[in-house]
Amino acid sequence: MQVEVTGKVQGVGFRQATVRQATRLSVDGWVRNQGDGSVSALLCGESEAVEAMVSWLRQGPDSARVEGVTVSACAWQDIAGFVQL
């Protein structure tokens, strides 16, 4: 799944917390800041784990203020691990 998170999500440790949570849930993919102040993520893995990750992204870490989450399907990508770009 491709996910875009908007709100106060840059400069608050959002990407680092996302990497930790994805690793806990065994979700593969990446997370990166976007030029418009949002954060994008690619999530690959078991459907239950990916759904749990999307639920977590709707809240984010305590320091963030998530205002919106857009989820869209994407082609499966064989990615090992979860990284911050």
Side-chain angles (χ1 to χ4, degrees):
M1 286 191 167
Q2 182 78 37
V3 182
E4 182 171 334
V5 185
T6 58
K8 184 181 177 189
V9 293
Q10 288 190 17
V12 294
F14 196 96
R15 290 177 299 156
Q16 296 88 344
T18 299
V19 170
R20 287 191 300 272
Q21 185 66 17
T23 301
R24 284 186 200 109
L25 294 171
S26 297
V27 171
D28 297 324
W30 50 258
V31 61
R32 68 176 169 212
N33 284 342
Q34 297 295 342
D36 64 1
S38 67
V39 169
S40 290
L42 177 72
L43 310 174
C44 300
E46 297 292 325
S47 60
E48 288 181 11
V50 169
E51 289 300 324
M53 189 67 207
V54 170
S55 293
W56 183 87
L57 287 169
R58 292 186 192 283
Q59 299 297 314
D62 291 339
S63 56
R65 189 181 74 243
V66 175
E67 294 176 0
V69 175
T70 303
V71 179
S72 56
C74 64
W76 174 263
Q77 296 184 31
D78 190 17
I79 299 172
F82 199 91
V83 297
Q84 174 181 315
L85 301 178

